[in-house]
Amino acid sequence: MSNLNLYGGEKDHIRENLNKYTRKAFKSLPKCKNPHILDIGCGTGVPTIELATMSDGHVIGIDIDVTSLNSLQRKIKETELNNRVSAIKNSILTMDFPEESFDIIWAEGSIFVIGFENSIKKWHQFLKPNRFLVIHDENKDKTKKLGLITKCGYTLIAQFELSDNLWWLEYYTPLEQLIQEFRHKYPKDSELINELNKDQIEIDKCKSNSVVISSFFVIMQKV
Ligand SMILES: C[S@@+](CC[C@H](N)C(=O)[O-])C[C@H]1O[C@@H](n2cnc3c(N)ncnc32)[C@H](O)[C@@H]1O
């Protein structure tokens, strides 16, 4: 039996270090009673659960990765949020909801799938009038991205950055320590080692400066 789930759970705790920024972005939205929220590319649902906890609303998390969705499903049970949170297998490439379904659309780390401009254009129809889109994306081309907001039918409410230093301190350094710990504890768990290797490759890319680490949240309102 692999210790993959155990590692996934610990990794999620590290991801939770970034929840304070999810909360900061959420707090910049005007108060909304019982919002309907769509979390696009929800993964294991760290922000999804946080959004449900902060709001009194209903949250749908969508993703294509079944293992991540199963993990979110377990969290929904553990937190007894079954009546307010659902995890659905659905791709960004094919997702279709009735027009004006949501008060808030949230996407952390998933906008790369079809790109910033395509995403904010396509998701516009799923928002109720005057409602909100929150994106957490890499800092690359940030000025250009911010310039697209009005062109695509939104106004800018707020934006803030998560620096390289912050990512190292709150995410990558603890993750690297966790990888080493699990490597040491379970050297014969090949499934786990495979996953640890993948995560280490991601960290090594960050170290070599071949990828952008810093990121930004942007909060927009549909006009
Ligand atoms: C960087 S993770 C972010 C997960 C989560 N939002 C978070 O912030 O912890 C990106 C997620 O996008 C998902 N994803 C990739 N392609 C997708 C697609 N075509 N449709 C839906 N989700 C997708 C991945 O499976 C992954 O869970």
Side-chain angles (χ1 to χ4, degrees):
M1 177 81 170
S2 173
N3 294 285
L4 209 52
N5 277 345
L6 188 63
Y7 172 65
E10 293 295 322
K11 196 175 152 185
D12 270 1
H13 286 314
I14 296 174
R15 171 66 183 85
E16 283 165 14
N17 289 343
L18 303 175
N19 269 350
K20 51 173 109 46
Y21 308 106
T22 297
R23 287 196 289 273
K24 180 175 173 177
F26 187 81
K27 280 181 189 154
S28 67
L29 298 173
K31 289 245 175 316
C32 172
K33 234 177 151 350
N34 217 324
H36 280 210
I37 304 174
L38 175 66
D39 183 9
I40 298 179
C42 62
T44 59
V46 176
T48 323
I49 296 290
E50 195 62 25
L51 288 167
T53 311
M54 279 184 294
S55 69
D56 55 354
H58 286 79
V59 190
I60 298 175
I62 65 162
D63 206 288
I64 45 167
D65 184 61
V66 177
T67 312
S68 296
L69 288 171
N70 287 342
S71 166
L72 172 53
Q73 204 62 60
R74 276 197 298 277
K75 286 181 201 163
I76 294 172
K77 271 197 194 141
E78 280 161 18
T79 48
E80 298 182 356
L81 283 166
N82 313 46
N83 55 347
R84 293 206 291 119
V85 183
S86 35
I88 297 173
K89 184 168 186 278
N90 198 339
S91 172
I92 290 170
L93 303 177
T94 52
M95 69 182 221
D96 208 7
F97 292 97
E99 280 188 18
E100 304 188 354
S101 296
F102 298 101
D103 296 287
I104 302 169
I105 295 181
W106 203 273
E108 293 201 42
S110 60
I111 203 159
F112 71 92
V113 176
I114 54 170
F116 192 90
E117 182 168 6
N118 285 336
S119 303
I120 71 171
K121 271 186 186 158
K122 179 157 171 54
W123 300 346
H124 192 271
Q125 63 186 307
F126 303 132
L127 278 175
K128 295 177 191 173
N130 302 315
R131 294 306 186 177
F132 304 96
L133 173 60
V134 181
I135 304 291
H136 182 188
D137 189 18
E138 63 175 20
N139 242 342
K140 189 165 177 256
D141 299 326
K142 183 181 148 192
T143 312
K144 189 174 157 205
K145 287 169 184 169
L146 292 179
L148 291 164
I149 290 174
T150 34
K151 202 180 118 192
C152 296
Y154 301 87
T155 47
L156 175 67
I157 300 282
Q159 59 100 6
F160 58 89
E161 281 188 23
L162 278 60
S163 67
D164 282 19
N165 274 351
L166 181 157
W167 272 100
W168 278 113
L169 196 70
E170 302 195 19
Y171 187 73
Y172 286 115
T173 304
L175 180 60
E176 192 161 36
Q177 282 162 1
L178 184 72
I179 292 170
Q180 280 161 7
E181 203 185 297
F182 269 72
R183 223 186 257 296
H184 190 70
K185 267 193 193 160
Y186 309 108
K188 296 204 168 97
D189 183 340
S190 53
E191 215 180 327
L192 171 71
I193 297 292
N194 208 10
E195 190 66 20
L196 300 181
N197 287 345
K198 274 199 247 161
D199 285 346
Q200 187 63 51
I201 288 171
E202 193 195 333
I203 295 173
D204 291 343
K205 275 192 204 155
C206 294
K207 282 184 182 165
S208 71
N209 289 329
S210 61
V211 289
V212 176
I213 310 173
S214 60
S215 61
F216 72 111
F217 269 89
V218 57
I219 297 101
M220 307 165 229
Q221 181 171 22
K222 175 174 174 171
V223 287

